[in-house]
Amino acid sequence: MTMCLLCQQLLKPRILFSDIFLLKKEEGGICSVCRKKFNLISDIHCPNCFKEGEKTICSDCRYWQEKGLDVSHESLYSYNDQMADYISRYKFIGDYLLRIIFADKLKQYFKNKVGYCPVPIPISNQRMKERGFNQVTELLSAAGVRFTALLQKEDTKKQSEKTRKERLALQQPFSVIDKMAIPDKIILIDDVYTTGATIQLAKKVLMKNGAKTVISFSLAR
Ligand SMILES: [Zn+2]
Ligand SMILES: [Zn+2]
């Protein structure tokens, strides 16, 4: 019997032998009740960053605009309680099985992004040691989306270990991995987009190293 990866209810058993053989799981491993609690971003969203419910450019995007920086971001789901719970279990608790839940949706999305090289936001070596996997690359792998890991992330000090000056300065934690060629068109990918600061920092490094167009995507906004 297969259980929903989120609520542990039994999923409707499937009787096709081929499904067992191919280890297919109905609805990406979760039940329809849990699936419905995820909220796909509606047509009413910030035109620049997909923030749900915004009819014009949102305050986060205006902040970047004032700094002379563009935002060209798309997202699939709004960051509601269900998504927060998912992210916490998948990323912070490290439940690796949860990487498959959005595989179909991600696959569909990236089919329409032909011409852009998908580049995941990296995690630091320290995080990698703690978590055992990069939550972004695993989402993509589960969806069969090919990507190029161009960036690396330095281990940054914990907020509490930083001096006041360090806390205030927006540090650049990203750099291009040695000798990697930078494609002209890149789509940066993260799990969650909050203020856009992470994407802006990664974009800055890529543009400095020769990228011409950098757009971005996150599972949730
Ligand atoms: Zn469920
Ligand atoms: Zn916005």
Side-chain angles (χ1 to χ4, degrees):
M1 284 286 170
T2 316
M3 288 190 295
C4 170
L5 289 170
L6 292 177
C7 71
Q8 321 307 335
Q9 297 256 41
L10 285 180
L11 292 179
K12 257 190 282 161
R14 302 195 67 172
I15 39 170
L16 290 175
F17 179 69
S18 60
D19 288 343
I20 301 164
F21 189 66
L22 294 167
L23 294 173
K24 264 191 196 166
K25 291 203 180 109
E26 201 170 306
E27 301 222 29
I30 62 171
C31 73
S32 53
V33 177
C34 287
R35 175 74 61 192
K36 273 184 204 138
K37 290 183 193 161
F38 289 106
N39 183 27
L40 280 165
I41 292 171
S42 73
D43 288 344
I44 301 165
H45 57 245
C46 168
N48 291 19
C49 74
F50 271 49
K51 187 172 188 175
E52 171 86 65
E54 304 276 341
K55 286 184 185 140
T56 53
I57 293 175
C58 76
S59 56
D60 290 332
C61 288
R62 277 204 305 273
Y63 170 82
W64 297 116
Q65 244 176 9
E66 279 158 23
K67 288 180 165 267
L69 299 167
D70 301 328
V71 175
S72 178
H73 185 84
E74 291 184 347
S75 198
L76 283 176
Y77 294 91
S78 57
Y79 191 77
N80 62 4
D81 289 349
Q82 175 77 341
M83 184 55 80
D85 183 47
Y86 167 78
I87 294 288
S88 138
R89 287 168 66 177
Y90 173 51
K91 178 171 164 178
F92 298 112
I93 301 173
D95 189 347
Y96 181 68
L97 291 177
L98 296 182
R99 75 197 183 285
I100 67 165
I101 288 179
F102 301 107
D104 287 348
K105 276 272 184 287
L106 291 171
K107 192 176 189 170
Q108 243 176 14
Y109 177 83
F110 282 98
K111 256 188 198 160
N112 299 318
K113 288 290 168 236
V114 183
Y116 285 90
C117 174
V119 174
I121 293 289
I123 59 174
S124 69
N125 290 336
Q126 182 60 37
R127 277 289 163 284
M128 193 62 159
K129 239 184 258 168
E130 291 161 5
R131 193 175 300 148
F133 62 94
N134 174 333
Q135 72 280 359
V136 181
T137 62
E138 293 308 318
L139 285 174
L140 296 173
S141 295
V145 176
R146 286 216 199 137
F147 58 86
T148 310
L150 286 178
L151 297 172
Q152 57 194 356
K153 189 181 184 204
E154 261 173 47
D155 290 310
T156 41
K157 288 184 198 170
K158 284 195 182 130
Q159 283 298 323
S160 53
E161 291 166 356
K162 288 179 187 167
T163 64
R164 187 181 143 76
K165 205 176 161 190
E166 281 173 330
R167 272 199 296 256
L168 289 174
L170 207 55
Q171 278 179 298
Q172 176 56 270
F174 302 115
S175 57
V176 171
I177 296 171
D178 281 349
K179 301 191 182 83
M180 291 295 280
I182 306 294
D184 284 349
K185 292 168 80 180
I186 289 171
I187 180 164
L188 271 169
I189 302 144
D190 209 352
D191 47 0
V192 180
Y193 182 105
T194 310
T195 62
T198 302
I199 293 289
Q200 289 296 345
L201 286 166
K203 186 174 170 178
K204 194 174 171 186
V205 168
L206 292 167
M207 298 295 275
K208 218 171 101 187
N209 282 275
K212 304 255 185 317
T213 312
V214 180
I215 60 173
S216 55
F217 168 83
S218 60
L219 177 68
R221 166 67 172 111

